[in-house]
Amino acid sequence: MSKKTSFARIKYRVQQVGRALLPTFTREELQWAASFLSAEEHEVFREMAPADRRHCLDVAHICRSMAEQLAPDQRRLLLTAALLHDMGKRQGAIRLGHRIFFVLLGSRRSRIVPFKRWPLVGRPLHVIARHARLGAAEAKKRNWAPDLVALIRHHHDQSGSMSDENRRLLQMLQRADNLC
């Protein structure tokens, strides 16, 4: 990795920590987000940690710019998925230190296993590693649309069996998530 690339990654991570430490929201963007969510989805969004809500809003803003050519129902699905894709993180008491530690471990579940028995560290790391699966399981239990469940489930991996249209939405979601 070149020095320029290393510096860019360090700068990105420092900015990411800053956004997580002091997330801010405008009334307009929260109203905008609510316009894409059902009452139940909005409640889940509001239950998310402020850092996760900020991240999901940032992802949704990027998706909005990518989705101009989509049909209205596909655009709504993409933006709803962007706003809820990290909902599975609500299932753990995840603090900023856990998030940083997870990134330092290389975001690999195999590196988390040694910490499994540490109650204050193991559970939050486990939730971070499995948040896509956990969020999708909850969305499915709530009887949310299968397409939304699939986008939440696969936002960190390959799409499995998915229509070409939804695979395109997943690629947009993943691209936006990786930029944030």
Side-chain angles (χ1 to χ4, degrees):
M1 192 180 305
S2 72
K3 284 185 182 182
K4 186 175 182 180
T5 304
S6 295
F7 180 75
R9 291 206 49 79
I10 291 169
K11 181 180 173 188
Y12 164 76
R13 291 296 186 192
V14 168
Q15 289 171 338
Q16 195 176 37
V17 168
R19 285 191 308 270
L21 273 173
L22 301 169
T24 59
F25 310 93
T26 65
R27 182 179 311 143
E28 293 78 19
E29 72 181 334
L30 292 174
Q31 289 172 342
W32 173 80
S35 73
F36 292 98
L37 303 172
S38 70
E40 183 180 41
E41 292 165 347
H42 191 242
E43 182 62 31
V44 168
F45 178 75
R46 287 194 328 247
E47 291 171 358
M48 293 168 69
D52 292 328
R53 273 184 285 149
R54 175 74 266 155
H55 167 72
C56 287
L57 278 164
D58 292 340
V59 172
H61 288 308
I62 292 170
C63 284
R64 177 179 55 182
S65 68
M66 291 184 205
E68 291 176 359
Q69 302 302 318
L70 295 175
D73 59 330
Q74 291 296 299
R75 180 183 165 99
R76 182 177 199 88
L77 173 60
L78 176 62
L79 294 174
T80 301
L83 291 166
L84 296 170
H85 74 277
D86 280 346
M87 65 185 268
K89 291 181 181 179
R90 293 170 26 259
Q91 297 184 28
I94 301 168
R95 304 285 183 249
L96 182 58
H98 298 119
R99 296 167 196 273
I100 292 169
F101 193 43
F102 184 78
V103 170
L104 291 174
L105 288 172
S107 307
R108 292 196 183 100
R109 269 194 261 162
S110 62
R111 293 183 179 170
I112 294 167
V113 172
F115 301 98
K116 190 174 184 176
R117 295 181 194 262
W118 297 17
L120 298 177
V121 177
R123 173 75 179 149
L125 292 178
H126 175 76
V127 169
I128 294 171
R130 297 177 43 100
H131 74 275
R133 222 178 256 169
L134 294 169
E138 180 183 348
K140 184 175 181 178
K141 188 175 182 179
R142 291 174 177 270
N143 293 314
W144 290 357
D147 292 340
L148 177 59
V149 173
L151 290 171
I152 292 169
R153 166 66 184 92
H154 295 291
H155 77 269
H156 280 298
D157 61 36
Q158 298 306 311
S159 59
S161 61
M162 192 178 278
S163 70
D164 288 341
E165 200 169 77
N166 285 345
R167 193 177 319 279
R168 180 177 174 214
L169 297 180
L170 179 63
Q171 290 169 347
M172 290 178 184
L173 177 60
Q174 289 173 337
R175 195 173 320 129
D177 194 22
N178 289 333
L179 289 171
C180 293

